[in-house]
Amino acid sequence: MTDRILQVTDDTFEEEVLNSPEPVLVDYWANWCAPCKMIAPLLEEIAEEYAGKIKVAKLDIDQNRAVTERFKVRGIPTLMLFKGGEPEATKVGAVSKSQLTVFIDSNL
């Protein structure tokens, strides 16, 4: 995993995501989720290509129940774009890179 992707937890979510001055794309995932593993390389590419525009973060739903419940994550992978401390847009399920860039670009 690239060092551009933040690992966030219930304890660090507010500081790293909600208080971030730049938009943050959060990937809600789990180790047992095959589609989550499929999109992981795409997220690394996005983190590199959008460096300076957005931050990319991953949150393991099995180890971080409070944030998962707070934002009503029901299926994974769930990608949620936060701006100004609020969820701006959500996409559930595995996506292609082109779908992901359209999702990000249309919500920045």
Side-chain angles (χ1 to χ4, degrees):
M1 185 178 314
T2 180
D3 58 355
R4 290 203 185 273
I5 296 182
L6 295 166
Q7 298 295 321
V8 293
T9 65
D10 285 343
D11 294 333
T12 63
F13 193 85
E14 185 168 346
E15 178 185 343
E16 295 288 354
V17 177
L18 302 182
N19 294 335
S20 175
E22 61 189 334
V24 183
L25 179 67
V26 179
D27 173 28
Y28 295 86
W29 71 285
N31 206 26
W32 47 263
C33 168
C36 297
K37 291 178 182 178
M38 284 175 34
I39 68 166
L42 299 179
L43 292 171
E44 291 185 25
E45 291 176 29
I46 292 296
E48 293 290 331
E49 292 171 17
Y50 283 79
K53 295 180 188 172
I54 66 169
K55 291 195 301 189
V56 178
K58 292 177 76 76
L59 181 119
D60 184 330
I61 64 160
D62 289 333
Q63 297 177 12
N64 300 283
R65 294 280 187 202
V67 170
T68 303
E69 290 172 11
R70 177 178 175 185
F71 292 100
K72 298 174 178 42
V73 175
R74 299 285 178 250
I76 56 172
T78 291
L79 299 169
M80 203 173 283
L81 185 65
F82 286 82
K83 286 172 60 179
E86 297 294 326
E88 182 77 16
T90 302
K91 193 147 199 81
V92 180
V95 293
S96 68
K97 185 173 180 186
S98 61
Q99 290 171 313
L100 185 53
T101 57
V102 166
F103 170 74
I104 294 168
D105 292 342
S106 66
N107 290 292
L108 279 184

